[in-house]
Amino acid sequence: MSAEISEITSRAEQAVSRADRKREQRGWYFYDFACSVYSTSVLTVFLGPYLTSIAKSAADPDGFVRPLGIPVRAGSLFAYAVSASVILAVVLMPIVGAAADRRGRKKPLLAAAAYTGAAATAGMFFLDGHRYLLGAVLLIVANASLSVSMVLYNAYLPQIAGPEERDRVSSRGWAFGYTSGAGVLVLNLILYSGHDSFGVSESTAVRICLASAGIWWGAFTLVPLRRLRDRAVAGPAADGKVGAGWRQLIATLRDMRARPLTLAFLAAYLIYNDGVQTVISQASIYGSEELGLDQNTLIVAVLLVQVLAVAGALGMGRLAQTYGAKRTVLGSLAVWTVILGVGFFLPARHPVLFFVLAGAIGTVLGGSQALSRSLFSHMVPSGKEAEYFSAYEMSDRGLSWLGPLVFGLAYQLTGSYRDAIISLVVFFAAGFVLLARVPVRAAVAAAGNPVPARI
């Protein structure tokens, strides 16, 4: 009788444990749902053109603004602000990641980063007149905060999802993000395109769209903060000093050198993801300058990417269950290469063909990112999630300057955006070769983690 009672109790505890894990997973999805609106509406669509127009209105006759007395061409302000935010994020990410792992308290740090970014984004409502410097500062703060928060968000994945379900959970997180990005962008575009009927100016409509992304970010961050829980860590807590974070970063890099297979995967990801990010950031320039497409066409293409990225993330997650995440990512890199080849030959002023290309990008975009994240999570030693994901996020955001540099140099040397876009093939080809050489099962075992049946 006692054995039967013990078995019943054990099953009940397991059921409660599964229910708690599912609850955490659903809460985790909602941070992507919260912050992806910033990436879509603010960074991709509205802020760049709007901040540039403010800077140009404040520029001198030679086209320069002078923040802190430094001459900056007005058209370059947005790019420089993004670069500055990357530098700030690179400084902060390893410090925050190390502190989170040592203290075992990711949630307060996630809240601080998320609400700092949300507040900075909501503050963009006040960008009018000649306030280009305020816009640049708010962009730097919001972008760096997003990067820091993603380190902490990603570090929860190995704790809330077992090895066999991690691809699915990661893919659903990306799908939630793309769903919110597309939905809010539709509402923003309704306001922007019909601003006269709503009784507001075009400038006011843009500022409302920017601020609404910050409000959305802050409001839906409440869900993961309520459902995620911190885990206790063994050993002494960090001393809280900045120097301790950098010392931990050095220790993390040394630790990764002792796990060369994890480091090899990170190198492959750094290269092919740089290609992905460059295609995303430069596609609008290619569409407008080389293909002669108008702004409405480009915005519809962005929406198409967002919508299809949801299906792509979920679909590739299912493919990974059958063929393994590594093979699925390799297949997506082959598709990316084909996309660039088709883009090179795409005729000008054919929006329908451009939409087809945008659809192909959306189909592989979410899945390649989601499965890369879940693959890396298997190779992270237990208890060092935030440290390792700070390195992952640095490769994702902190080192994403090489692709744009290659794109820019190719255009400068050839004068052709077609040559510039095809030059990015090298990132996908090199990333494919490097990833194919990584024995992921051995990398997972070397990190001391259980090896899934398919990976």
Side-chain angles (χ1 to χ4, degrees):
M1 177 66 71
S2 60
E4 292 178 357
I5 294 175
S6 177
E7 183 178 353
I8 292 172
T9 303
S10 176
R11 289 178 180 176
E13 290 176 349
Q14 290 176 4
V16 171
S17 178
R18 285 195 297 270
D20 289 343
R21 189 169 72 251
K22 293 293 183 183
R23 185 175 187 275
E24 276 198 279
Q25 289 172 2
R26 288 191 290 268
W28 185 80
Y29 299 149
F30 267 92
Y31 189 69
D32 235 326
F33 190 84
C35 69
S36 291
V37 172
Y38 167 83
S39 300
T40 303
S41 291
V42 177
L43 271 187
T44 305
V45 177
F46 288 110
L47 185 57
Y50 185 66
L51 183 57
T52 300
S53 68
I54 292 176
K56 287 183 176 179
S57 69
D60 60 24
D62 295 324
F64 285 87
V65 291
R66 300 181 183 277
L68 306 178
I70 302 171
V72 174
R73 191 173 294 278
S76 300
L77 180 69
F78 178 73
Y80 289 153
V82 172
S83 297
S85 72
V86 169
I87 294 171
L88 178 60
V90 167
V91 172
L92 294 176
M93 284 190 292
I95 298 173
V96 173
D101 279 337
R102 288 215 172 183
R103 295 178 183 272
R105 291 177 56 79
K106 300 180 183 69
K107 193 156 65 171
L109 294 172
L110 175 62
Y115 283 107
T116 298
T121 306
M124 293 176 185
F125 178 79
F126 300 102
L127 299 183
D128 57 358
H130 292 171
R131 295 176 177 172
Y132 69 89
L133 186 56
L134 174 63
V137 171
L138 291 176
L139 170 58
I140 291 169
V141 172
N143 227 30
S145 297
L146 177 66
S147 296
V148 170
S149 71
M150 291 304 292
V151 169
L152 301 161
Y153 167 72
N154 288 336
Y156 273 104
L157 180 59
Q159 297 179 338
I160 64 172
E164 303 294 342
E165 60 181 346
R166 209 164 290 168
D167 292 342
R168 175 182 56 81
V169 171
S170 182
S171 296
R172 285 188 178 180
W174 279 106
F176 264 59
Y178 285 117
T179 299
S180 70
V184 174
L185 185 55
V186 168
L187 297 177
N188 288 163
L189 291 177
I190 291 172
L191 173 62
Y192 175 74
S193 60
H195 60 84
D196 288 334
S197 60
F198 288 103
V200 298
S201 66
E202 181 179 340
S203 172
T204 301
V206 171
R207 292 188 291 116
I208 292 173
C209 292
L210 294 173
S212 66
I215 295 171
W216 182 281
W217 186 356
F220 283 99
T221 295
L222 291 172
V223 179
L225 292 181
R226 286 179 63 86
R227 294 195 173 187
L228 293 173
R229 62 183 178 86
D230 286 325
R231 275 77 171 169
V233 295
D239 59 18
K241 297 180 181 178
V242 171
W246 283 104
R247 287 192 296 272
Q248 184 60 57
L249 172 62
I250 295 172
T252 300
L253 294 175
R254 288 175 178 168
D255 191 68
M256 291 184 74
R257 288 178 61 187
R259 294 176 173 83
L261 298 182
T262 300
L263 197 58
F265 172 82
L266 194 60
Y269 173 76
L270 184 155
I271 293 172
Y272 69 73
N273 185 64
D274 204 355
V276 171
Q277 298 302 323
T278 306
V279 172
I280 295 170
S281 65
Q282 303 303 318
S284 61
I285 294 177
Y286 186 71
S288 60
E289 298 296 326
E290 185 67 36
L291 303 182
L293 303 174
D294 59 31
Q295 184 67 25
N296 287 336
T297 299
L298 297 176
I299 292 175
V300 171
V302 171
L303 271 174
L304 186 61
V305 168
Q306 295 294 310
V307 171
L308 289 180
V310 176
L314 296 175
M316 288 180 63
R318 292 182 179 179
L319 285 176
Q321 294 177 5
T322 303
Y323 300 103
K326 177 183 175 181
R327 288 182 179 179
T328 307
V329 172
L330 288 173
S332 76
L333 298 182
V335 174
W336 276 107
T337 304
V338 173
I339 288 172
L340 291 178
V342 172
F344 178 81
F345 292 105
L346 202 67
R349 297 177 180 83
H350 280 70
V352 174
L353 296 178
F354 189 72
F355 290 152
V356 172
L357 199 64
I361 289 174
T363 301
V364 294
L365 174 62
S368 59
Q369 292 176 319
L371 293 178
S372 295
R373 177 171 64 186
S374 63
L375 261 179
F376 182 71
S377 71
H378 289 289
M379 306 177 194
V380 176
S382 178
K384 298 185 177 182
E385 293 86 2
E387 292 177 35
Y388 272 63
F389 269 108
S390 68
Y392 179 87
E393 195 68 17
M394 286 175 69
S395 68
D396 187 3
R397 301 175 186 271
L399 299 177
S400 57
W401 51 267
L402 185 58
L405 177 62
V406 170
F407 185 92
L409 287 175
Y411 177 74
Q412 180 174 330
L413 293 174
T414 66
S416 169
Y417 280 108
R418 294 185 186 273
D419 292 338
I421 202 74
I422 202 65
S423 70
L424 300 178
V425 167
V426 66
F427 290 93
F428 297 103
F432 183 98
V433 172
L434 291 175
L435 178 58
R437 293 171 59 88
V438 177
V440 293
R441 300 183 72 84
V444 174
N449 295 322
V451 181
R454 289 194 181 277
I455 192 171

